[in-house]
Amino acid sequence: MKTHYYFGWFNDVFPEKLVKSLHEDITDRKSLVMISANPFLHEDEEVGATERSWLDQASIMFDEYHLIDYGVQKEEAQKLIQNASVIFLLGGNTVEQNGILIEYELSDLIKKSRAVVMGTSAGAINMSAKWLCSKYTGYEVEISSIYDGIGLDNFSVLSHFDLENNIEQIQGELSLLLEEINVYASNKDCAVRVKGDKIDILGNVYLISHSKIQKLDETL
C-alpha cells in the first residue's frame, strides 16, 4: 500500500501523533533519499539538516543517507530513487526542485517506487498533481502560472500558507486550478497522509473545493 506524507513546516519537532504514524509506516529503514529544493547548493551542509533533525528526534534512523542535487549525476540519482526506503522532498525553492525532477526524469520513478514518500513545504507542493506559482502563494512573479508536480495524488497542495488572511485573493487565483482538482491548504505543524485510498489530517488543514473552503477534522 503506497503511503505519502504532505507536510507543512515544523517549528520544532514532529508532533507525537505524527511520530507514531511514521513509526507504523516506515518499516524499511535501509536508505533515506532526500531531494533538494536548492539543488545548485550542492556543497551546503545546511540543505536537509532541519528535515533530517525532525526524523532523528523521532528516532527514525536509516542505514544510508543520500541527497540528490546537481552535484549527483542523473543516472546515480535515478538509481538512488529506485533503491530508496523513504524519499523525502525537502523544503526550499519549489521551482528549482521542480526543475531537477524534470531534468533528471525522477517523477515517474518516484510514482513507481514502493518507498514511503514525504515532502515538506516546496517538497509537498511538488508531490501534488499541479500547483499554482503566484505572488499570492509566495513567489516573486508578475504572471501566475500552473506547474505540473509529480502527481502522486490527484490534488494540489498549498503548504504552510496563511489561508486565514488571504482567502479572497487566493480564491480568485486558484479558480483555474479548482476547475480540475481540489486543493489542501495547510499552515505550520500540519500534515496530510495518504495511505491507499484513505486521507488523514493532522493540524489545521483546509480543503478548497470549487468555491467552498472547509476546515478538516483531525484524524491522525
Side-chain angles (χ1 to χ4, degrees):
M1 188 182 297
K2 294 195 173 183
T3 306
H4 310 141
Y5 281 89
Y6 300 80
F7 299 140
W9 190 261
F10 297 94
N11 290 323
D12 189 11
V13 297
F14 284 148
E16 281 185 29
K17 290 178 183 176
L18 180 57
V19 171
K20 183 174 182 290
S21 175
L22 288 167
H23 272 278
E24 289 172 2
D25 291 334
I26 301 174
T27 53
D28 177 2
R29 300 185 185 178
K30 293 187 184 71
S31 172
L32 172 68
V33 178
M34 298 179 287
I35 302 176
S36 178
N38 299 98
F40 294 100
L41 303 178
H42 55 265
E43 294 182 357
D44 190 335
E45 293 180 2
E46 292 300 308
V47 173
T50 300
E51 290 93 330
R52 182 169 166 178
S53 75
W54 298 335
L55 292 167
D56 289 347
Q57 287 165 333
S59 299
I60 299 173
M61 314 291 190
F62 296 85
D63 297 337
E64 300 175 7
Y65 293 84
H66 303 279
L67 177 66
I68 292 175
D69 58 21
Y70 285 122
V72 176
Q73 295 296 311
K74 177 178 174 179
E75 293 76 14
E76 176 64 16
Q78 292 180 344
K79 193 180 296 182
L80 288 172
I81 292 294
Q82 288 170 323
N83 294 326
S85 308
V86 173
I87 299 166
F88 198 165
L89 288 91
L90 304 177
N93 187 312
T94 320
V95 176
E96 287 186 9
Q97 187 178 61
N98 191 268
I100 195 170
L101 289 169
I102 293 168
E103 196 173 325
Y104 277 22
E105 299 178 21
L106 299 179
S107 293
D108 280 348
L109 293 175
I110 295 170
K111 286 175 83 168
K112 290 173 185 173
S113 173
R114 299 180 66 84
V116 173
V117 184
M118 309 186 294
T120 191
S121 184
I125 293 167
N126 271 318
M127 283 168 60
S128 59
K130 295 174 184 288
W131 55 273
L132 176 69
C133 182
S134 160
K135 62 183 177 182
Y136 294 112
T137 52
Y139 302 94
E140 294 179 5
V141 293
E142 291 303 314
I143 299 171
S144 300
S145 56
I146 293 174
Y147 279 70
D148 287 326
I150 297 170
L152 292 175
D153 299 288
N154 192 34
F155 54 70
S156 183
V157 169
L158 274 174
S159 187
H160 71 88
F161 177 69
D162 184 11
L163 182 73
E164 293 91 334
N165 296 314
N166 293 276
I167 287 176
E168 288 182 13
Q169 299 98 316
I170 203 61
Q171 274 184 302
E173 285 288 300
L174 287 173
S175 57
L176 281 175
L177 197 57
L178 288 167
E179 287 177 12
E180 300 179 51
I181 54 177
N182 292 334
V183 176
Y184 287 87
S186 68
N187 210 317
K188 296 185 176 178
D189 299 315
C190 297
V192 175
R193 177 180 75 166
V194 181
K195 188 168 185 175
D197 296 327
K198 189 171 187 286
I199 298 177
D200 284 304
I201 303 296
L202 175 76
N204 294 323
V205 179
Y206 295 82
L207 173 63
I208 310 173
S209 181
H210 300 288
S211 59
K212 295 179 181 176
I213 299 177
Q214 67 175 108
K215 187 173 183 297
L216 299 172
D217 294 331
E218 281 194 273
T219 57
L220 265 187

